[in-house]
């Protein structure tokens, strides 16, 4: 019987994933120049897949393309951390709340958490943590909301990797992840959302105390007056 060969990833995808891994592991540091010719030689490919990979990484915010400086790994400072985490604080807890209320499967989140616990390097841990968060928000029932959070997930992973390099606090984050997942599995949508908000906010305060981030938890969603009136008419509290 003839075996079916395993598909070989494209050169561009291979280069993209390897550059991303090097950035998230700290082998390529913020501000470091990424020279197409050098990377092509390292990976044994032409400059074309390197160029395409760098364009994709620029789109996700991991690298910056400048007419004068060329391509560099994105710098991470308090302002960058604030921008990324502010978006997450506004959107991610609400997405998780909707995921739980829909009764969506959280198997992918459980699997990602296990991979993070078993990770042997910063890049693997960062990518697994990123997938954990994605597994919480993607089943929210609003594809646009999921895509909006996807836009910042690589940048959030970079923020975490840089912060861990200065203060390896991933064990604390892992403990918070387990509590978030426990609440979600217990169908406590509001509790899980509050725990996730606190998790993101506390990380920023510890890692980037100068970020000046508004970490106030959002108010619970109030029922529309019509719904409240209807409950009153029905004799419900």
């Amino acid at each position: 019987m003839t075996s079916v060969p395993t598909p070989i990833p494209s050169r561009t995808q291979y280069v993209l994933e390897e550059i991303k891994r090097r950035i998230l592991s700290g082998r390529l540091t913020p501000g470091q120049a990424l020279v197409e010719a050098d990377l092509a030689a390292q990976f044994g490919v032409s400059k074309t897949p390197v160029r395409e990979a760098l364009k994709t990484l620029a789109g996700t915010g991991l690298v910056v393309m400048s007419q004068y400086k060329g391509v560099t790994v994105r710098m991470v400072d308090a302002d960058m951390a604030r921008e990324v985490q502010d978006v997450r604080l506004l959107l991610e807890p609400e997405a998780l709340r909707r995921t739980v209320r829909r009764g969506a499967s959280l198997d992918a989140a459980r699997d990602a958490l296990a991979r993070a616990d078993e990770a042997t390097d910063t890049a693997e841990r960062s990518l697994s943590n990123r997938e954990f968060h994605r597994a919480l928000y993607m089943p929210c029932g609003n594809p646009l909301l999921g895509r909006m959070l996807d836009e910042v997930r690589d940048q959030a992973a970079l923020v975490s990797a840089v912060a861990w390099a200065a203060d390896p606090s991933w064990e604390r984050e892992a403990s918070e992840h387990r509590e978030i997942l426990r609440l979600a599995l217990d169908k406590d949508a509001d509790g899980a959302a509050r725990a996730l908000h606190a998790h993101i906010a506390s990380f920023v305060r510890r890692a980037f105390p100068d970020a000046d981030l508004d970490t106030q938890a959002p108010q619970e969603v109030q029922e529309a007056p019509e719904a409240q009136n209807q409950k009153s008419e029905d004799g419900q509290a």
Side-chain angles (χ1 to χ4, degrees):
M1 180 177 180
T2 304
S3 60
V4 179
T6 302
I8 300 175
S10 71
R11 288 184 175 87
T12 298
Q13 187 65 28
Y14 164 72
V15 171
L16 187 154
E17 294 299 332
E18 185 57 30
I19 295 175
K20 182 185 295 186
R21 177 169 290 278
R22 293 184 183 190
I23 291 173
L24 297 181
S25 67
R27 289 179 61 188
L28 294 173
T29 57
Q32 183 172 340
L34 301 176
V35 182
E36 287 182 10
D38 293 346
L39 291 170
Q42 291 177 34
F43 298 133
V45 299
S46 69
K47 290 195 292 185
T48 299
V50 174
R51 185 178 304 117
E52 293 303 315
L54 292 176
K55 287 180 181 178
T56 300
L57 291 171
T60 64
L62 279 184
V63 306
V64 176
M65 290 183 161
S66 168
Q67 181 178 355
Y68 303 104
K69 295 183 179 180
V71 184
T72 57
V73 179
R74 182 166 184 175
M75 294 294 295
V76 176
D77 56 18
D79 287 340
M80 185 269 199
R82 175 182 54 78
E83 292 171 3
V84 171
Q85 306 298 53
D86 189 41
V87 172
R88 295 182 65 205
L89 283 170
L90 288 169
L91 301 180
E92 208 168 317
E94 176 58 26
L96 174 57
R97 181 182 286 111
R98 296 184 181 201
T99 292
V100 176
R101 287 179 175 170
R102 295 181 70 234
S105 172
L106 293 168
D107 289 347
R110 187 187 290 109
D111 292 344
L113 187 56
R115 289 195 300 274
D117 287 341
E118 297 168 359
T120 57
D121 61 50
T122 303
E124 187 178 355
R125 186 177 294 109
S126 183
L127 291 169
S128 297
N129 283 340
R130 183 186 67 164
E131 290 307 315
F132 170 78
H133 281 271
R134 189 171 194 267
L136 297 179
Y137 66 70
M138 278 307 289
C140 70
N142 186 328
L144 177 58
L145 179 54
R147 289 196 297 272
M148 291 172 69
L149 284 164
D150 268 354
E151 286 292 318
V152 298
R153 67 186 182 129
D154 278 349
Q155 297 171 60
L158 177 59
V159 169
S160 295
V162 170
W164 287 341
D167 177 19
S169 61
W170 53 75
E171 290 185 359
R172 174 171 179 169
E173 275 90 63
S175 176
E176 292 171 355
H177 282 174
R178 285 189 285 270
E179 176 62 10
I180 293 165
L181 182 59
R182 183 191 69 78
L183 291 166
L185 290 172
D186 286 346
K187 310 300 183 183
D188 184 353
D190 291 333
R194 285 193 296 269
L196 177 57
H197 188 282
H199 164 69
I200 298 171
S202 65
F203 174 78
V204 179
R205 284 196 298 267
R206 291 194 310 273
F208 299 92
D210 297 328
D212 191 25
L213 186 69
D214 181 2
T215 57
Q216 182 178 358
Q219 296 294 320
E220 298 293 346
V221 177
Q222 300 294 322
E223 290 182 293
E226 294 83 357
Q228 295 178 354
N229 292 338
Q230 184 62 49
K231 281 190 175 183
S232 297
E233 293 172 1
D234 293 341
Q236 298 181 28

